[in-house]
Amino acid sequence: KAFQSDKKGTMIGTEGYSPPEQYRGLAEPRGDIYALGATLHHLLTNSDPRTETPFTFHERPVRQLNPAVSPETEALIMRALEYDATRRWESAEAMRAALLAILEPQQAAPAIGADPGARPAAPVPPPAQPASPAYAVVPPGQPAAYPYTMPPGQMMPGQPVPGMAYPGMMPPPYGPAPGGPAPVVDTTTKQIWVFTAEDEIRSSPAVAKGMVFVGCYDSNLYAVNAKTGEFIWKRATEGGIPSSPVVWEDVVIFGSEDTSIYALDTRRGAVQWTAGTGAPIRSSPRVSPTGQVFIGSDDQHLYCLDARTGRTHWKYRGWGPVRSSPAIGRNLIYVGCSDGNLYAVDMATGNMKWKFHSSGPITSSPLIHEGLVYVGSADQHLYALDADTGWAVWKYRAEHYVTSSPAVAGGKVFVGSVDGYMYALDAQSGRPAWKYNTGSQVTSSPRPAGGMVYFGAVDNYVYCVGQAQGDLRWRFPTRGPVTSTPMVDEGLVYIGSLDHKLYALAV
């Protein structure tokens, strides 16, 4: 089909090779750059994009599958495969010049049709490679092997890279945006107790029956005394546990990367039932008042189980791993998917009522409040959608991916972003109220309580800021990035860290 720059509606193409904008009916020359990148990726890795989830090339870097490929070639291909067309090579000539510079560093050939006497076009250098972090830092709900050292200029959604600067990020000293109140730091904040596990804690704790339950990448779910931090019991699975547990009646329910969902007795940790899925589980369960468990799996399904027996009532398939945790409405279940969709599924039948498509994977967990569904996306937006129809009421653009899950309190919706900010927006209009800059990625989700907002950041700190103005009240240092979401209960803040510890802090 001949290219027409002023026309829409071009939906032709081969799935896996076609760029994301073409699925929205938009075609332009940079779509061919993407298709060429997909072809080169296929040839060099033997990973057929037609059999993979669309737009997931950055989960399969070239050198991860074929170490014989040079870093420069990998960087060239991955730049061609950028989801955002504006970040790809700006022209075929620019990509050609860069490729020739790799293949023949001393003899870059002139462009086709160029003046033979003219100097060849200078290759467009890829963005600078940030230093590799000490931790394989990922947001809650992502696997331990989630790649974090990417080719130059490439980042997966929510992938924290300490020290990397982003457009608009404030330099130290950190704090509210210009014009906000000066930070007032409470230096009396102290650690009440700390419990040490054997591996990273990305799971977010649940508090019930005088105990704190939390999963760990050492494959165990732990139960510790909520007041003292003393060990009570642990139960091993066959995989890491990024899923956050939920307590229902006398059982604690969670998922594991061993592909199973577990229900344990809260008193002793005895297994009450298990249910298998087809892939690792990074979603966290939610339980309805009638005893239905809803949880996603990397097998691309949302599951509905009986909380008493583990029997599957139904499952709904998306087109990518389901790492978002579902939200329970009146009659609908809302869940994000790595295919870029937020799905609204009938609670009783498992039939889809509507879906909303964003331009990036959705690992953020949706929140329902006063008829609106709030959810973040790797397309850098926080969306407010009508809960009945899925129509976008408003959207707010951050400066990088939004993988943090939103929370609402006092008429504001709070959400973190990979750009380093914690945002507070008017819940009805989306107008910004304030934003607090940590100077590092925020993939932890906020927990509002008692007029404060608590959250973690990749700079190793737990933060407490005021809900009204975003003024810093205190920050507590750990020895590792904090991607866990805090739980606040009876004057204590419980939160895990990648330093293998679960902390209890005074509010």
Short mmCIF file of all heavy atoms in Angstrom, two decimals, residues 15 23 35 82 107 123 133 144 156 168 220 223 262 295 318 328 371 385 390 408 410 461 483:
data_model
loop_
_atom_site.label_atom_id
_atom_site.label_comp_id
_atom_site.label_asym_id
_atom_site.label_seq_id
_atom_site.Cartn_x
_atom_site.Cartn_y
_atom_site.Cartn_z
N GLU A 15 1.53 -9.40 12.68
CA GLU A 15 1.64 -9.23 14.13
C GLU A 15 3.04 -9.62 14.60
O GLU A 15 3.59 -10.63 14.18
CB GLU A 15 0.59 -10.10 14.84
CG GLU A 15 0.58 -9.90 16.34
CD GLU A 15 -0.56 -10.62 17.02
OE1 GLU A 15 -1.35 -11.29 16.33
OE2 GLU A 15 -0.67 -10.49 18.25
N TYR A 23 -1.23 -0.38 15.03
CA TYR A 23 -2.44 -1.00 15.58
C TYR A 23 -3.50 0.06 15.87
O TYR A 23 -4.67 -0.27 16.04
CB TYR A 23 -2.10 -1.76 16.87
CG TYR A 23 -1.38 -3.06 16.62
CD1 TYR A 23 -0.04 -3.08 16.25
CD2 TYR A 23 -2.03 -4.28 16.74
CE1 TYR A 23 0.64 -4.27 16.01
CE2 TYR A 23 -1.37 -5.48 16.53
CZ TYR A 23 -0.04 -5.48 16.16
OH TYR A 23 0.61 -6.65 15.93
N ALA A 35 9.84 -2.39 11.94
CA ALA A 35 9.72 -3.69 11.29
C ALA A 35 11.09 -4.25 10.93
O ALA A 35 11.33 -5.47 11.06
CB ALA A 35 8.85 -3.56 10.04
N GLU A 82 12.10 0.74 19.67
CA GLU A 82 11.48 1.56 20.70
C GLU A 82 9.96 1.61 20.50
O GLU A 82 9.47 1.76 19.39
CB GLU A 82 12.03 2.98 20.65
CG GLU A 82 13.38 3.15 21.30
CD GLU A 82 13.30 3.22 22.81
OE1 GLU A 82 12.19 3.09 23.35
OE2 GLU A 82 14.35 3.39 23.44
N GLN A 107 35.41 2.95 7.25
CA GLN A 107 35.01 3.20 5.88
C GLN A 107 33.50 3.22 5.76
O GLN A 107 32.89 2.33 5.17
CB GLN A 107 35.56 2.11 4.95
CG GLN A 107 37.08 2.03 4.97
CD GLN A 107 37.59 0.94 4.05
OE1 GLN A 107 36.89 0.51 3.14
NE2 GLN A 107 38.81 0.50 4.29
N PRO A 123 27.17 8.97 11.82
CA PRO A 123 26.20 8.12 12.51
C PRO A 123 25.63 8.84 13.72
O PRO A 123 26.32 9.62 14.38
CB PRO A 123 27.04 6.90 12.93
CG PRO A 123 28.45 7.39 12.96
CD PRO A 123 28.54 8.44 11.88
N PRO A 133 23.49 -0.92 37.97
CA PRO A 133 23.27 -0.81 39.40
C PRO A 133 23.74 -2.05 40.13
O PRO A 133 23.93 -3.11 39.53
CB PRO A 133 21.74 -0.68 39.50
CG PRO A 133 21.24 -1.37 38.28
CD PRO A 133 22.27 -1.12 37.21
N ALA A 144 12.66 -12.11 39.63
CA ALA A 144 14.03 -11.79 40.03
C ALA A 144 14.95 -11.66 38.83
O ALA A 144 15.90 -10.90 38.84
CB ALA A 144 14.57 -12.89 40.96
N MET A 156 13.03 -1.09 30.72
CA MET A 156 11.74 -1.74 30.83
C MET A 156 10.86 -0.94 31.76
O MET A 156 11.35 -0.22 32.62
CB MET A 156 11.90 -3.16 31.39
CG MET A 156 12.45 -4.14 30.37
SD MET A 156 11.37 -4.30 28.95
CE MET A 156 9.93 -4.99 29.74
N GLY A 168 13.20 16.64 33.58
CA GLY A 168 12.33 17.23 34.58
C GLY A 168 12.65 16.83 36.00
O GLY A 168 12.06 17.35 36.94
N ASN A 220 9.94 -18.37 50.79
CA ASN A 220 9.10 -18.54 51.97
C ASN A 220 8.07 -17.43 52.14
O ASN A 220 8.34 -16.27 51.81
CB ASN A 220 9.97 -18.57 53.23
CG ASN A 220 10.77 -19.84 53.37
OD1 ASN A 220 10.21 -20.92 53.50
ND2 ASN A 220 12.09 -19.72 53.30
N ALA A 223 5.48 -15.43 58.78
CA ALA A 223 4.57 -14.84 59.74
C ALA A 223 5.39 -14.42 60.95
O ALA A 223 6.11 -15.26 61.54
CB ALA A 223 3.49 -15.83 60.15
N TYR A 262 -1.46 -20.40 46.86
CA TYR A 262 -1.49 -21.10 48.14
C TYR A 262 -2.48 -20.45 49.09
O TYR A 262 -2.64 -19.23 49.12
CB TYR A 262 -0.11 -21.07 48.80
CG TYR A 262 0.95 -21.88 48.11
CD1 TYR A 262 1.63 -21.37 47.00
CD2 TYR A 262 1.28 -23.15 48.56
CE1 TYR A 262 2.61 -22.12 46.36
CE2 TYR A 262 2.27 -23.90 47.93
CZ TYR A 262 2.92 -23.38 46.83
OH TYR A 262 3.90 -24.13 46.20
N ILE A 295 -6.98 -13.39 40.99
CA ILE A 295 -5.53 -13.23 40.91
C ILE A 295 -5.09 -13.48 39.47
O ILE A 295 -5.67 -14.30 38.75
CB ILE A 295 -4.81 -14.20 41.88
CG1 ILE A 295 -3.30 -13.89 41.96
CG2 ILE A 295 -5.06 -15.66 41.51
CD1 ILE A 295 -2.58 -14.66 43.06
N GLY A 318 -6.06 -12.62 28.80
CA GLY A 318 -5.60 -11.43 28.11
C GLY A 318 -4.60 -11.85 27.05
O GLY A 318 -4.56 -13.02 26.63
N ILE A 328 -11.81 -5.06 42.94
CA ILE A 328 -13.16 -5.63 42.98
C ILE A 328 -14.18 -4.52 43.04
O ILE A 328 -14.18 -3.70 43.98
CB ILE A 328 -13.31 -6.57 44.20
CG1 ILE A 328 -12.29 -7.71 44.11
CG2 ILE A 328 -14.74 -7.12 44.27
CD1 ILE A 328 -12.27 -8.61 45.33
N GLY A 371 -16.94 5.73 41.64
CA GLY A 371 -17.32 5.54 40.25
C GLY A 371 -16.21 5.66 39.24
O GLY A 371 -16.45 5.57 38.03
N LEU A 385 -10.84 6.38 34.74
CA LEU A 385 -11.81 5.84 33.80
C LEU A 385 -13.16 5.68 34.47
O LEU A 385 -13.24 5.36 35.67
CB LEU A 385 -11.34 4.48 33.28
CG LEU A 385 -9.90 4.38 32.77
CD1 LEU A 385 -9.57 2.93 32.41
CD2 LEU A 385 -9.68 5.29 31.58
N GLY A 390 -15.63 2.47 30.94
CA GLY A 390 -14.23 2.48 30.54
C GLY A 390 -13.79 3.75 29.83
O GLY A 390 -12.63 3.85 29.41
N VAL A 408 -6.11 6.68 47.05
CA VAL A 408 -6.92 7.88 47.18
C VAL A 408 -7.17 8.19 48.65
O VAL A 408 -7.46 7.29 49.45
CB VAL A 408 -8.26 7.72 46.44
CG1 VAL A 408 -9.18 8.91 46.71
CG2 VAL A 408 -8.04 7.58 44.95
N GLY A 410 -8.54 11.96 51.03
CA GLY A 410 -8.71 13.41 51.15
C GLY A 410 -8.95 14.11 49.84
O GLY A 410 -8.51 15.25 49.66
N TYR A 461 15.37 4.55 50.69
CA TYR A 461 14.65 5.21 51.77
C TYR A 461 13.16 4.88 51.78
O TYR A 461 12.55 4.64 50.73
CB TYR A 461 14.80 6.73 51.66
CG TYR A 461 16.11 7.26 52.18
CD1 TYR A 461 17.19 7.42 51.33
CD2 TYR A 461 16.27 7.60 53.54
CE1 TYR A 461 18.40 7.92 51.80
CE2 TYR A 461 17.48 8.09 54.00
CZ TYR A 461 18.54 8.24 53.13
OH TYR A 461 19.73 8.73 53.60
N THR A 483 10.94 -1.37 47.04
CA THR A 483 9.88 -1.47 46.05
C THR A 483 8.58 -1.99 46.66
O THR A 483 7.53 -1.97 46.02
CB THR A 483 10.29 -2.39 44.89
OG1 THR A 483 10.53 -3.70 45.37
CG2 THR A 483 11.55 -1.86 44.22
#
